[in-house]
Amino acid sequence: MITGLEKNKNNLLRAAVLGDPVAQSLSPKLHGFWLKHYQIHGEYTAIHTPPASLRDTLFRLRDAGFRGCNITVPHKEQALTWMDAVDASAARIGAVNTVRFVDGRMLGSNSDAPGFIANLTAATGDVTPFLHHAVVIGAGGAARAVVDGLVEAGAERITLINRTLTKAETIAAHYAPCGAVALEDDTEIRKALASAGLLVNTTTLGMQGIEPLALPLEYLPMHALVTDIVYKPLITPLLQQAAARGLRTVDGLGMLIHQAVPGFAAWFGVTPVPDEALRAWLLT
Ligand code: ATR
């Protein structure tokens, strides 16, 4: 039995995040901060949603008058199949992370790709100088969103490095500037790093309790930017290693924050401005 899905009371604007597991999600804390900051009569909750109840939960939220929801692991691909319409980014990536309920319709979008780029832009002022060659580690759902964002932002060349080469090749086949390399291919990895302007980790390696990614960062040029979408820990071993070499780094917390902006704006009617106070709050 899912609680909290009764019909709307007191014109409270409601949104939620659906995932399995969902307790680890920082989204309620993030949206809760903005709701308070902008003094909005709204609520954002986490709803634990096993795969078998995803469809039912989406329809119940819609019928209960929710403004919309976020979709997190492992449902982003499955949720797309129940949308009445999706935006171009969600269609290309094949995954939805933001849903709006409008006039009984479910509208899906994907803010991971623009959120990834917005974070880099906020950190550097202009990400373009780093996009002549982006090296992306991983070939899962997160990598697909990152590659989509990079291509939309004008990346001239992308090298996808993954343990399972066929998965990198599948993504590369959809994006013209993209090539694939196996994680065990030291020679090709060194070559790719030597001409990279941007290095991105999209794998879980380096996350708390998981072994770090071992890459020969000494091959990266000194102007290269290194970023990780892992944000627990905030400074991953990869970012530590890059900073120790004197390279510029961007942590992954900003991507989480920036991907949340379009959803908040659509559900609650105010476009929130990410700031240091929010980052500090999320790190408590
Ligand atoms: P997400 O949707 O978050 O991207 P995912 O689809 O499970 O998650 O993808 C996880 C990524 O981390 C994959 O690229 C995976 O490599 P494989 O495609 O070979 O599975 C990578 N990954 C996870 N554990 C890894 C490990 N121990 N060594 C190397 N790569 C790993």
Side-chain angles (χ1 to χ4, degrees):
M1 175 65 193
I2 305 162
T3 54
L5 295 194
E6 57 283 344
K7 288 275 183 193
N8 212 346
K9 322 167 271 221
N10 310 325
N11 294 323
L12 186 68
L13 301 175
R14 291 179 298 173
V17 54
L18 314 187
D20 180 22
V22 79
Q24 83 297 341
S25 172
L26 280 178
S27 292
K29 193 168 175 178
L30 195 165
H31 287 282
F33 178 93
W34 281 333
L35 285 170
K36 196 169 164 196
H37 181 79
Y38 294 106
Q39 300 183 327
I40 291 168
H41 184 52
E43 182 179 82
Y44 183 104
T45 48
I47 299 178
H48 177 230
T49 311
S53 57
L54 176 62
R55 183 178 181 280
D56 183 49
T57 305
L58 272 168
F59 281 85
R60 287 178 63 181
L61 289 179
R62 183 197 66 182
D63 296 343
F66 273 64
R67 304 283 298 165
C69 61
N70 280 128
I71 307 289
T72 190
V73 282
H75 302 317
K76 293 183 187 183
E77 285 87 3
Q78 187 59 54
L80 185 138
T81 62
W82 294 307
M83 296 298 120
D84 294 302
V86 294
D87 73 355
S89 173
R92 284 193 304 270
I93 297 167
V96 155
N97 79 333
T98 306
V99 179
R100 277 192 303 146
F101 303 124
V102 180
D103 299 331
R105 282 161 53 84
M106 290 193 203
L107 310 179
S109 55
N110 193 312
S111 63
D112 285 332
F116 170 72
I117 297 296
N119 181 37
L120 293 186
T121 302
T124 61
D126 179 13
V127 71
T128 321
F130 304 98
L131 296 187
H132 56 88
H133 182 196
V135 174
V136 178
I137 315 296
R144 190 178 270 271
V146 163
V147 168
D148 192 79
L150 288 169
V151 171
E152 285 297 295
E156 290 166 41
R157 183 178 160 212
I158 300 170
T159 301
L160 261 181
I161 297 174
N162 197 46
R163 178 178 60 181
T164 311
L165 181 60
T166 49
K167 282 172 68 180
E169 287 171 338
T170 302
I171 297 179
H174 284 90
Y175 292 94
C178 200
V181 167
L183 189 56
E184 63 193 8
D185 190 341
D186 294 336
T187 310
E188 284 305 313
I189 289 177
R190 282 175 199 161
K191 256 204 262 175
L193 291 178
S195 63
L198 175 66
L199 173 65
V200 189
N201 174 43
T202 74
T203 72
T204 45
L205 296 175
M207 202 179 270
Q208 238 154 40
I210 303 179
E211 62 181 300
L213 187 61
L215 282 178
L217 294 195
E218 63 274 19
Y219 287 90
L220 279 175
M222 287 312 292
H223 59 76
L225 180 68
V226 179
T227 186
D228 204 323
I229 70 164
V230 169
Y231 56 83
K232 269 187 188 168
L234 186 64
I235 309 300
T236 60
L238 175 74
L239 296 183
Q240 256 174 33
Q241 200 189 337
R245 239 210 99 200
L247 300 170
R248 200 159 169 191
T249 62
V250 179
D251 67 61
L253 188 62
M255 177 179 174
L256 176 83
I257 295 171
H258 283 277
Q259 65 75 35
V261 170
F264 190 92
W267 306 320
F268 301 119
V270 173
T271 301
V273 180
D275 63 8
E276 273 308 313
L278 172 61
R279 270 180 71 86
W281 167 240
L282 292 177
L283 291 170
T284 56

